[in-house]
Amino acid sequence: MKLALVQIRGDTVYRYEDTASRIKTMIEKACAEKPDFIVFPECAYPSYLIRPEDGIMEESLAGSEAVLKAVSELARSHSVYICIGIAARREGKLYNAAVTFDRKGREIDFTAKTNLWHFDDRWFAPGPGYSAFDTEFGRIGTMICADGRIPEIAGLLARDGARLIIDPVNLVAAAEKPEQLSNQQYEFILQERARENGVYIAVCDKCGV
């Protein structure tokens, strides 16, 4: 199984149209390497900070379904699995979600973050739970960023048969100098989740400031 982890630049919500365009361009670029599975970070679209207080949230979220449709079509045309982190509404609730499409462009998994960290809960509802899904490579599960801090979440996916856990993230850090930056999740937490459960974990983060 060949994974392509797309480390897209984290951008402001005000540039959501450019972000949507870059997502499609980066899928095409990743497909040149013939991957089996492409993964995007947490809230690749429209942004991690969506600012409901000034109306930009609704404006940007109006494009979420169009982005998902475009990703589905690219998955089908390139015969590749794609998991994208996206802010999306389902049944009247807004979720910090990861949506996975199979090689035929069919949605085979919708996972929403439950461990809403810091300001996540200002606009997102917690997801309903976790389950693995079937692929030609075996069962795969999805968790999102701070979900990895809760041992039971990875454990639930492993007990449901997942041998690989996809983890779209938006890791943050602050320090006086760049070389001092660190984050506990990639330093040791996710390594421990993999050891505890005997699974692989594929983590896809953003880049930039």
Side-chain angles (χ1 to χ4, degrees), residues 37-104:
F37 207 122
I38 298 172
V39 182
F40 278 83
E42 176 185 19
C43 282
Y45 181 88
S47 175
Y48 186 62
L49 294 171
I50 52 180
R51 305 183 187 278
E53 64 276 5
D54 60 10
I56 192 65
M57 181 176 85
E58 293 303 324
E59 183 180 320
S60 63
L61 290 174
S64 289
E65 288 305 315
V67 168
L68 289 175
K69 182 179 179 181
V71 172
S72 168
E73 290 172 352
L74 286 165
R76 179 185 53 78
S77 63
H78 290 283
S79 188
V80 63
Y81 290 88
I82 304 177
C83 174
I84 183 167
I86 190 166
R89 281 199 174 91
R90 293 287 165 98
E91 299 178 350
K93 294 181 179 180
L94 179 61
Y95 293 111
N96 179 341
V99 182
T100 301
F101 299 95
D102 68 9
R103 294 188 190 273
K104 294 183 179 179

Side-chain angles (χ1 to χ4, degrees), residues 139-154:
R139 288 178 69 74
I140 294 175
T142 309
M143 63 184 183
I144 301 172
C145 202
D147 288 343
R149 294 177 177 242
I150 308 299
E152 289 80 4
I153 292 175

Side-chain angles (χ1 to χ4, degrees), residues 42 48-50 52 57 94-96 113-127:
E42 176 185 19
Y48 186 62
L49 294 171
I50 52 180
M57 181 176 85
L94 179 61
Y95 293 111
N96 179 341
K113 190 177 185 179
T114 61
N115 184 25
L116 299 178
W117 178 83
H118 195 39
F119 43 71
D120 271 348
D121 61 3
R122 292 186 189 177
W123 41 77
F124 292 121

